[in-house]
Amino acid sequence: MTSAAPRAAFALIGSTSEANAVIARLLQVMDAMLAVIEQETALVRAGKLSAAAHLAPGKTELAQLYLTDTQRLKAGKNFLRQTGKDVLDALRTRHERVQAAVQTNLTVLATAHAVSEGIMRGVSERLARKSMPETYGASGRTAEPSARQAPALTLSRIL
C-alpha cells in the first residue's frame, strides 16, 4: 500500500467521520503490514534472505503510516470513543494479529542472525587454525590459535 500524496506529519482528528476514515485506513495498513511481515518471515525461513531484504522499503513505509495513524487516533480519543464498538473491536483484533506476526518475525530474524553469526565464527576459527603452524605448547598438546593472531576475515555482501 503506497500513498500517492504525502500525508501531513500529524493532523488532528476533527470529527467522528474523520476518525472512522483514519480507522479504515489503519485497518488497510495493518492488513498490508501483516502480508509483508508474513511474506518476509516465510522468505527468511526458506533461507531467501536477499528476496526478504527487498521487502524492507515497503515494510518501513507501512510502519510509518501505521505509526502516524495510531498517533492520530490516540490524540483524537474523544472522537474515537464515539465510533462504534464493532469498529474498535475490529481494530483491536487486527492490532493483536499484527503484534503476533511481528513477534514471530522478530524471532525468525533473530534465529537467522544467530545462525549466520555461528557460521561466520566457524569459518573464522577454521581460517585461524589453518594459518597457525602446528606446534606443541608447554603441556605437550598442540597450541590453540589465539584470536589476536587470527587473520582478518573479509566478507562480500554482494551476491
Side-chain angles (χ1 to χ4, degrees):
M1 167 173 215
T2 57
S3 59
R7 287 192 194 165
F10 191 83
L12 293 176
I13 295 174
S15 67
T16 304
S17 62
E18 190 176 349
N20 285 330
V22 172
I23 289 170
R25 186 174 51 241
L26 182 58
L27 289 171
Q28 290 176 341
V29 168
M30 285 194 285
D31 284 343
M33 276 180 63
L34 192 58
V36 169
I37 289 169
E38 288 173 347
Q39 184 181 8
E40 180 184 54
T41 301
L43 289 170
V44 171
R45 280 184 174 154
K48 298 178 180 179
L49 301 179
S50 123
H54 291 297
L55 299 174
K59 191 168 108 173
T60 300
E61 181 184 355
L62 289 168
Q64 289 171 343
L65 294 173
Y66 175 81
L67 184 61
T68 300
D69 286 346
T70 54
Q71 291 301 318
R72 286 186 71 198
L73 287 175
K74 283 180 186 178
K77 57 186 160 188
N78 293 337
F79 293 111
L80 190 60
R81 289 185 189 127
Q82 297 171 10
T83 61
K85 182 181 179 339
D86 55 334
V87 173
L88 293 177
D89 287 342
L91 187 63
R92 196 170 288 116
T93 301
R94 196 80 44 87
H95 177 73
E96 289 169 0
R97 284 182 55 208
V98 169
Q99 290 299 93
V102 166
Q103 188 60 45
T104 301
N105 182 262
L106 290 174
T107 302
V108 169
L109 291 173
T111 301
H113 182 267
V115 168
S116 64
E117 185 177 329
I119 291 169
M120 293 305 297
R121 286 184 192 274
V123 168
S124 177
E125 288 171 9
R126 274 201 187 155
L127 287 173
R129 269 193 227 116
K130 282 187 174 187
S131 70
M132 291 287 297
E134 288 194 30
T135 59
Y136 292 98
S139 66
R141 296 184 181 175
T142 57
E144 289 292 319
S146 74
R148 288 185 212 165
Q149 295 172 345
L153 178 64
T154 304
L155 175 69
S156 173
R157 299 181 110 184
I158 301 170
L159 297 176

